[in-house]
Amino acid sequence: MNQKSIIECCKELGCCDACCLRFLGLKSPAAYENPKQYVINALGKQGASVSPALVVQVETVPAGNQTEPAATAPGAVSEPPHAASEPSPAPSEPSPATSEPTPDVSEPFPAASEPTPGASEPPDDANEPPNKKMKVDGVCTTCLGLLQQENWPQCNAMVKTMLDKKRYECETFACALSAPVAALLRERVVALRLRDACANYDDGALTPLKEAWKWSFGAQLARHVGLALDSGAVSPLLVTLHMEYLEEAGELEALRRLAPELFARRSASQRFAVEFTRRAHAPLYLGGRYVKLSRTLPQTPWLVNGRRMLHSSVQELICAPIAALYRLDAEDAEHRLKFMSAGREDVDVRCLGDGRPFAIEITDPTRQPSEAELQQLCAQISAGGQVLVRRLVPVSREHLALLKKGEETKCKTYEALCIKLSHAADEQLPPAAPVRVTERDLQRVNAYSNCAGARVLLQQRTPIRVLHRRPLHVRPRRILALSAHAVPAQPQLLLLRLRTDAGLYVKEWAHGELGRTRPALADALQARVDILALDVAEVDLAWP
Amino acid sequence: METPTEFKILDSIPDLNNLKSFTDRYFSKRYITDIDGIKNNDIMIMFHSNRIALLSLAPSHFFFNKDQEYKLNFTVGKVDRLRNAVKGKSKKGGQLLNPKSVVCKIEYKDGTSFDVPCGMKGTLIEVNEELVNQPELLKQYPDADGYIAIILSSIAISEATKSELLTHDEYLEVLNRCETKDLE
């Protein structure tokens, strides 16, 4: 079996030079940078090219640190790129590259034998030099033009435009191809034909389209965009080109008829695989802790019927400087910055001490911020005086699980300012006498315990304030430590320090919530009591 | 940067002369008077900003002028309100209530009794079981621990009910007018 007969056979079937090399099983990247030369050498003459009516669409999707450019390969009809944030232009006219189906492929590919509407007229290129016409028309029957350099400029331009727009700051890139399934089907048909035509043809040696594409298209794309091509495992920037073939559905119809169930399953799982791939390229995560000093600041924007109730939020104060650093406009910031935290506090509760652990997910970041920039972000966030962030550090995706886990398991220390509203049960005082916190009251709270292993075990019904959106349950929660202190110059007030299980509603314990939390602070104090102010003093979680 | 140890909870002491109770902080009160034409058969519905409503007796209810031992009976016909149970976020399975539905009966030692109607359409979330053991709460703290039931309705119904019923000021005005009429 010789190379010449394989190439001739491929050429007869309408393969491009690069596909000929693929069917030869050639695995040398250098050969794919100039496949034409290789074919000429092997053949001594150039084979005739033929082309089916085909359409290729290209989209580039970046990964990890990356971007989502889209390009259209000039097969025949170009489709608009689909970058979500941009207005989609109307599909462009069929390009002059639109070609007629070749009789050769009409047999193996019945669907392709019907000319695309609007593509049936041969292009008016009578003035073109014949060799140029040959190039334009000769879309490969196997790779659908993906490996043909005359189709590359448009892809190059699109990738370049997108990279310029996204301003990634890195020196390398990896590129990946999402090719039409029809290309696989066509490849298989050619391989079968080769097996018939050439004795001992080994179709197992076939070089995969994606490899050949990387060696040929990828290598020249690197020169075009001025970045070094690297492996996807190494480079933080992955450019994915999604090539769509407009006749795909029709061409795959035979497969669908052959095994409808398998076909449906494959289609579904493939869609999933694509999505999963996109997500697997982890965005950048910054971890830190925030101190909240305002009693009129919600953690996240507080909207009622789409109207905001308060001027800002912890989330917005933290995200704004990050959005500015990455030059994201408001809409971009909303999509690409995600705020996560280990629990939350009420609008009117401050969070002091080391603050509450949080993380920001930055989707598609252009680069890692420098140490100096992180410090500057902290300074900018803290400048307003409502929220303080002392340190921001990059954290891993795995690390993030700590935040959510911490939400369920972490203990918290609170300070609560309370007011005694009635005389204690054992105080022998006339009803009109002023209510005062006595040494005895403090002792009573400090000595109070209703369970072993902790100070207080509460049965807490879902508070009314969240009952509209949470199920009604009675939850056991523990107060692990509790101490009461007098407040100087405020005889009716008492200051409590307490450490609790995660998920204990401190305010509801302090005022008892109409008896829905039992026992309540009143049971320890033996007098009616209410809460005036609450601070989170410490959130027990090693973070970041 | 400042160290947060400088922030003490004692810098948050509010004006102690203008303190509001728990229900006054988070609920707005609405009233229905003379239900079923019975004088001072007055109820109070307290709406949380999240549309959850608490049912209780209005301070002008004749109940507060009668000094006799009483019990609360949550069995209404065949329905036992104490066995009300709700499931999940959407509170499935709660007993359905309309304005005329009786939530409980207050039964005096002398055999007399009166019904407490719901006053609005909604789902019963829970009744205040504590009133069975401590019926005096109803008299002592009608707008706090003596509430009778928690009711959830749709945003639309809760908003409509809220705007239909008497606000606190309107209620005081109605009471005032009645008093004047009584004097005449």
Side-chain angles (χ1 to χ4, degrees):
Chain A
M1 181 185 65
N2 65 60
Q3 291 198 343
K4 189 165 178 251
S5 59
I6 292 177
I7 292 177
E8 278 170 355
C9 186
C10 288
K11 281 287 167 191
E12 218 166 281
L13 293 168
C15 291
C16 67
D17 294 333
C19 281
C20 291
L21 304 195
R22 294 207 297 129
F23 286 109
L24 287 176
L26 228 61
K27 301 268 193 304
S28 140
Y32 288 87
E33 293 204 40
N34 196 350
K36 188 172 178 179
Q37 194 55 51
Y38 191 98
V39 167
I40 288 171
N41 289 349
L43 218 53
K45 67 176 177 80
Q46 197 179 343
S49 292
V50 283
S51 63
L54 60 79
V55 177
V56 181
Q57 195 224 326
V58 187
E59 180 202 18
T60 58
V61 170
N65 256 347
Q66 310 45 348
T67 167
E68 190 142 344
T72 306
V77 180
S78 37
E79 278 278 275
H82 48 280
S85 55
E86 285 172 277
S88 295
S92 56
E93 290 293 315
S95 76
T98 304
S99 54
E100 289 221 78
T102 55
D104 290 37
V105 290
S106 64
E107 208 173 65
F109 306 120
S113 67
E114 293 191 8
T116 321
S120 52
E121 289 292 315
D124 178 19
D125 50 8
N127 298 333
E128 299 277 348
N131 62 337
K132 177 125 187 237
K133 176 176 187 271
M134 177 70 84
K135 272 185 188 170
V136 169
D137 270 357
V139 176
C140 173
T141 49
T142 309
C143 68
L144 301 168
L146 290 175
L147 299 179
Q148 292 173 289
Q149 58 179 351
E150 49 276 33
N151 295 335
W152 293 343
Q154 201 177 346
C155 295
N156 288 344
M158 250 177 192
V159 172
K160 184 89 165 67
T161 307
M162 197 51 88
L163 288 179
D164 287 347
K165 184 171 165 246
K166 297 275 186 167
R167 295 182 299 250
Y168 295 120
E169 292 174 25
C170 64
E171 321 218 297
T172 62
F173 78 110
C175 67
L177 169 68
S178 164
V181 178
L184 274 179
L185 187 63
R186 286 164 169 264
E187 180 181 291
R188 184 72 191 141
V189 170
V190 174
L192 290 174
R193 287 286 188 94
L194 281 170
R195 228 162 50 177
D196 290 346
C198 314
N200 309 329
Y201 177 73
D202 175 17
D203 55 344
L206 177 78
T207 304
L209 174 60
K210 292 182 185 196
E211 289 299 309
W213 178 83
K214 242 178 255 180
W215 294 330
S216 56
F217 173 80
Q220 62 84 43
L221 178 64
R223 290 190 292 275
H224 188 78
V225 298
L227 298 172
L229 182 62
D230 208 331
S231 111
V234 176
S235 177
L237 175 62
L238 175 65
V239 178
T240 306
L241 280 87
H242 286 272
M243 301 295 200
E244 248 172 55
Y245 174 44
L246 292 188
E247 303 294 307
E248 173 112 325
E251 251 172 57
L252 298 185
E253 180 59 21
L255 290 185
R256 201 186 61 76
R257 275 202 304 263
L258 213 57
E261 270 176 43
L262 186 62
F263 190 85
R265 205 160 59 229
R266 280 288 297 164
S267 308
S269 69
Q270 266 198 336
R271 257 198 303 283
F272 179 76
V274 169
E275 271 179 39
F276 194 79
T277 310
R278 284 183 191 172
R279 276 201 217 131
H281 293 278
L284 176 64
Y285 299 97
L286 297 177
R289 304 180 77 110
Y290 71 80
V291 168
K292 173 174 171 286
L293 297 175
S294 168
R295 293 197 189 278
T296 55
L297 187 70
Q299 193 199 47
T300 50
W302 182 21
L303 302 174
V304 174
N305 300 330
R307 263 199 2 250
R308 71 160 48 244
M309 302 302 283
L310 288 166
H311 54 282
S312 191
S313 64
V314 173
Q315 176 185 316
E316 288 160 286
L317 290 175
I318 291 175
C319 287
I322 299 175
L325 177 67
Y326 283 104
R327 289 182 273 187
L328 305 176
D329 60 29
E331 197 185 331
D332 261 0
E334 195 170 308
H335 288 119
R336 289 170 52 189
L337 299 182
K338 191 172 148 205
F339 176 85
M340 291 163 280
S341 66
R344 54 195 302 153
E345 58 281 310
D346 296 342
V347 173
D348 59 353
V349 173
R350 300 188 301 184
C351 187
L352 308 179
D354 292 332
R356 184 181 293 277
F358 73 92
I360 302 285
E361 176 184 313
I362 306 165
T363 308
D364 200 15
T366 52
R367 61 190 169 81
Q368 290 268 112
S370 67
E371 191 55 43
E373 283 172 327
L374 289 173
Q375 264 314 315
Q376 209 199 337
L377 285 177
C378 292
Q380 288 167 337
I381 293 166
S382 308
Q386 296 197 83
V387 166
L388 306 182
V389 173
R390 284 194 207 82
R391 200 162 71 98
L392 271 176
V393 296
V395 294
S396 72
R397 189 186 166 81
E398 293 68 43
H399 209 52
L400 280 187
L402 258 183
L403 271 190
K404 287 296 146 196
K405 209 174 143 227
E407 199 169 299
E408 291 147 30
T409 58
K410 70 192 178 317
C411 295
K412 285 189 282 186
T413 308
Y414 294 92
E415 288 205 344
L417 187 63
C418 297
I419 183 165
K420 184 179 168 187
L421 293 172
S422 70
H423 296 135
D426 63 347
E427 281 182 292
Q428 308 289 322
L429 290 170
V435 174
R436 287 170 176 276
V437 173
T438 64
E439 195 54 41
R440 228 188 126 94
D441 291 331
L442 300 178
Q443 282 167 8
R444 228 186 324 246
V445 174
N446 287 333
Y448 182 83
S449 179
N450 72 342
C451 65
R455 284 291 303 279
V456 189
L457 177 64
L458 312 179
Q459 301 296 328
Q460 199 156 43
R461 284 175 189 261
T462 307
I464 294 170
R465 62 191 162 100
V466 296
L467 190 55
H468 62 300
R469 56 185 164 86
R470 302 224 179 116
L472 173 61
H473 288 308
V474 182
R475 295 177 183 81
R477 289 286 185 270
R478 296 174 308 163
I479 295 177
L480 307 170
L482 172 64
S483 65
H485 310 267
V487 177
Q490 295 289 348
Q492 210 183 333
L493 305 190
L494 68 163
L495 172 64
L496 300 177
R497 287 207 178 85
L498 62 159
R499 212 160 82 85
T500 73
D501 278 344
L504 184 142
Y505 293 97
V506 178
K507 284 179 183 169
E508 277 68 17
W509 167 72
H511 57 57
E513 211 205 15
L514 312 177
R516 299 178 77 254
T517 289
R518 283 174 192 276
L521 173 57
D523 296 294
L525 191 65
Q526 291 294 305
R528 289 198 303 121
V529 62
D530 202 350
I531 183 166
L532 301 177
L534 181 65
D535 285 341
V536 177
E538 213 56 69
V539 180
D540 268 6
L541 182 71
W543 180 270
Chain B
M1 206 179 296
E2 300 159 279
T3 50
T5 47
E6 293 168 28
F7 299 97
K8 295 280 183 218
I9 196 153
L10 298 186
D11 57 28
S12 302
I13 298 176
D15 176 5
L16 300 184
N17 295 317
N18 280 308
L19 293 181
K20 285 179 164 182
S21 71
F22 168 71
T23 43
D24 284 335
R25 285 205 291 277
Y26 302 113
F27 295 80
S28 50
K29 294 174 173 168
R30 292 292 185 277
Y31 302 84
I32 313 177
T33 57
D34 300 347
I35 295 174
D36 295 332
I38 303 167
K39 188 157 164 51
N40 287 124
N41 190 17
D42 304 343
I43 63 168
M44 170 170 68
I45 302 177
M46 297 178 274
F47 289 91
H48 193 276
S49 53
N50 70 6
R51 83 179 185 267
I52 285 184
L54 300 182
L55 172 68
S56 198
L57 297 183
S60 54
H61 197 285
F62 57 75
F63 163 79
F64 293 99
N65 289 325
K66 184 160 177 174
D67 198 13
Q68 196 181 117
E69 216 176 295
Y70 62 90
K71 273 186 182 164
L72 276 82
N73 184 349
F74 284 101
T75 305
V76 179
K78 284 185 204 158
V79 183
D80 184 357
R81 302 279 186 219
L82 289 170
R83 299 183 70 127
N84 185 69
V86 292
K87 222 177 161 185
K89 286 181 191 173
S90 55
K91 316 293 183 297
K92 280 202 178 72
Q95 296 170 12
L96 297 181
L97 303 170
N98 62 55
K100 297 265 179 218
S101 301
V102 174
V103 174
C104 69
K105 267 190 212 326
I106 288 160
E107 299 171 342
Y108 289 98
K109 230 182 168 178
D110 64 5
T112 59
S113 72
F114 70 89
D115 293 342
V116 179
C118 167
M120 66 181 289
K121 200 175 166 204
T123 306
L124 184 64
I125 303 299
E126 64 184 47
V127 294
N128 188 357
E129 297 167 18
E130 201 54 30
L131 291 177
V132 175
N133 301 323
Q134 299 189 63
E136 66 276 13
L137 289 175
L138 178 61
K139 194 156 264 179
Q140 285 173 340
Y141 308 112
D143 72 342
D145 293 25
Y147 77 97
I148 293 168
I150 299 179
I151 296 156
L152 177 66
S153 59
S154 66
I155 294 176
I157 291 177
S158 122
E159 283 306 312
T161 313
K162 237 165 100 176
S163 63
E164 246 169 57
L165 305 187
L166 299 174
T167 63
H168 191 69
D169 288 344
E170 290 164 347
Y171 166 69
L172 293 180
E173 215 172 280
V174 168
L175 291 187
N176 224 345
R177 244 183 288 150
C178 290
E179 241 170 69
T180 323
K181 224 164 77 185
D182 286 353
L183 287 177
E184 283 166 6

